[in-house]
Amino acid sequence: MCRELDYSDISLSFIIVEKRNGMLPNLFKTYPVNISDKNEFKEKLMKNIINYIKNFENKDCLSYDPLKHKDKTFEYLEGSFISEFFDFKNSFGLDHLTDYKNKITDFNFYVLSIKDNLGNDIHLIRKMNGYKKINSHGIFAYINGKELNQIDNPVIGIDNSVDLIVYNDLIYILNYNSIKKFFNLKFSFQKEVVNILAPVKERGVIDNYDKFERNIRSNDKLTNRLISMKRKGVNFDESLNNKEELQKTIADFELNVVYKNGKILFDKSKDKEAILNLLSDYYYRTTQQKTKGIVDK
């Protein structure tokens, strides 16, 4: 992506984003801002950011894992995984203001959008810097010679960093924690739990399944663990089908899980996380030393 850009044949647009939080998908107000026609400004703006992105060229790009980030990597997440993603993307520039002066402290992020000569759209997202307090309760100034002068208008800072890149409906996460600050992943992941566990519900292998599902959705730790399992390729279509091995695993690992008549009894099983590990077939024993373990533990 960095190598394809030709500074002489791209168009830029700048959008400021006001985020409104809630238990439902986040809502966004997106305001377009005209960029100065000065080529020197545009080129400096782009080169600083592209040079930053190039730092990631030799890093591995991994599927997003909500449990942990690995060093020397960055992640990707499908836009379809996030409830408000397409509403956000389609809203770019729909809201308008005639004067940003009194709104500048309400903004949370900005988006620098690039359209290359092939018609590809690349959206670079960055959180606003810490100037809100100064814009609200202080002043900005510059020194001209030996004289201190006030800058009359509120300002924003544009550094050379990027938190997220949106490209072809994929979100590339260069700052691991930024995805949680921008989108309401909790709401999106809770919805995804229902889809992931649908085969388990259909087969009726967990007694009082609805309570089990609610327990997963209401517990961030269990929700993130389930999402992590799914994104690592765990298939839940055949979970708990091997009754003999399932009973053996429960006994060998001394799990506080009750299994009778082909079903896990959720209410009588005290170890709720163990049920999730059983669904994912995460318990193992090494072939030589017979050491027992749990995947990712």
Side-chain angles (χ1 to χ4, degrees), residues 26 47 77 79 86 88 105 128 132 145 194 209 223 228 247 276-277 292:
N26 289 339
K47 282 187 175 180
L77 180 64
F86 291 104
F88 164 69
T105 56
M128 299 286 274
K132 284 188 175 184
V194 178
Y209 170 84
T223 295
S228 176
Q247 291 173 317
L276 191 54
N277 290 332
K292 294 186 293 187

Side-chain angles (χ1 to χ4, degrees), residues 161-265:
S161 299
V162 177
D163 294 318
L164 306 171
I165 299 177
V166 176
Y167 182 68
N168 287 343
D169 295 336
L170 282 178
I171 305 169
Y172 295 94
I173 306 165
L174 307 191
N175 179 345
Y176 180 75
N177 292 319
S178 63
I179 188 78
K180 298 176 184 177
K181 295 178 181 178
F182 196 82
F183 295 108
N184 190 341
L185 292 191
K186 181 175 181 177
F187 177 81
S188 299
F189 286 177
Q190 285 175 344
K191 288 181 62 179
E192 193 63 25
V193 166
V194 178
N195 298 328
I196 293 173
L197 293 178
V200 179
K201 179 179 182 180
E202 185 177 345
R203 295 200 318 278
V205 291
I206 296 179
D207 186 58
N208 202 348
Y209 170 84
D210 289 341
K211 188 174 181 180
F212 162 72
E213 185 188 286
R214 287 198 302 272
N215 181 70
I216 299 291
R217 288 190 286 112
S218 63
N219 186 310
D220 289 347
K221 178 183 177 183
L222 296 181
T223 295
N224 288 338
R225 186 158 175 76
L226 179 66
I227 296 296
S228 176
M229 292 169 173
K230 182 63 176 179
R231 294 191 65 78
K232 291 175 180 176
V234 173
N235 189 337
F236 294 88
D237 291 347
E238 304 296 329
S239 296
L240 309 182
N241 272 6
N242 193 327
K243 298 179 182 180
E244 182 178 338
E245 288 298 325
L246 176 60
Q247 291 173 317
K248 184 179 179 181
T249 300
I250 292 173
D252 285 353
F253 285 79
E254 300 178 347
L255 303 179
N256 204 336
V257 174
V258 179
Y259 182 76
K260 288 184 179 180
N261 301 321
K263 289 187 177 183
I264 288 178
L265 305 184

Side-chain angles (χ1 to χ4, degrees), residues 55-209:
N55 293 327
F56 293 82
E57 286 186 327
N58 295 321
K59 295 184 179 183
D60 291 332
C61 185
L62 305 178
S63 175
Y64 175 72
D65 185 343
L67 294 180
K68 59 184 177 182
H69 166 71
K70 293 184 178 180
D71 291 340
K72 298 181 181 180
T73 69
F74 64 101
E75 290 80 21
Y76 71 88
L77 180 64
E78 300 83 359
S80 57
F81 223 81
I82 299 176
S83 298
E84 66 264 40
F85 173 76
F86 291 104
D87 285 342
F88 164 69
K89 186 179 175 184
N90 294 331
S91 74
F92 283 176
L94 293 182
D95 301 290
H96 292 273
L97 287 174
T98 55
D99 188 353
Y100 291 84
K101 185 174 182 179
N102 296 323
K103 284 281 292 180
I104 201 162
T105 56
D106 295 330
F107 301 137
N108 305 98
F109 295 85
Y110 61 78
V111 182
L112 181 63
S113 293
I114 307 166
K115 185 181 289 290
D116 65 18
N117 54 0
L118 299 177
N120 297 310
D121 287 311
I122 305 167
H123 307 293
L124 312 175
I125 302 175
R126 175 67 171 156
K127 65 180 178 293
M128 299 286 274
N129 56 38
Y131 291 164
K132 284 188 175 184
K133 184 175 180 180
I134 301 177
N135 276 316
S136 298
H137 305 292
I139 62 171
F140 284 93
Y142 67 97
I143 298 176
N144 184 11
K146 294 185 177 180
E147 183 177 86
L148 184 68
N149 294 277
Q150 180 177 345
I151 299 174
D152 294 325
N153 292 323
V155 303
I156 65 171
I158 302 175
D159 58 20
N160 67 338
S161 299
V162 177
D163 294 318
L164 306 171
I165 299 177
V166 176
Y167 182 68
N168 287 343
D169 295 336
L170 282 178
I171 305 169
Y172 295 94
I173 306 165
L174 307 191
N175 179 345
Y176 180 75
N177 292 319
S178 63
I179 188 78
K180 298 176 184 177
K181 295 178 181 178
F182 196 82
F183 295 108
N184 190 341
L185 292 191
K186 181 175 181 177
F187 177 81
S188 299
F189 286 177
Q190 285 175 344
K191 288 181 62 179
E192 193 63 25
V193 166
V194 178
N195 298 328
I196 293 173
L197 293 178
V200 179
K201 179 179 182 180
E202 185 177 345
R203 295 200 318 278
V205 291
I206 296 179
D207 186 58
N208 202 348
Y209 170 84

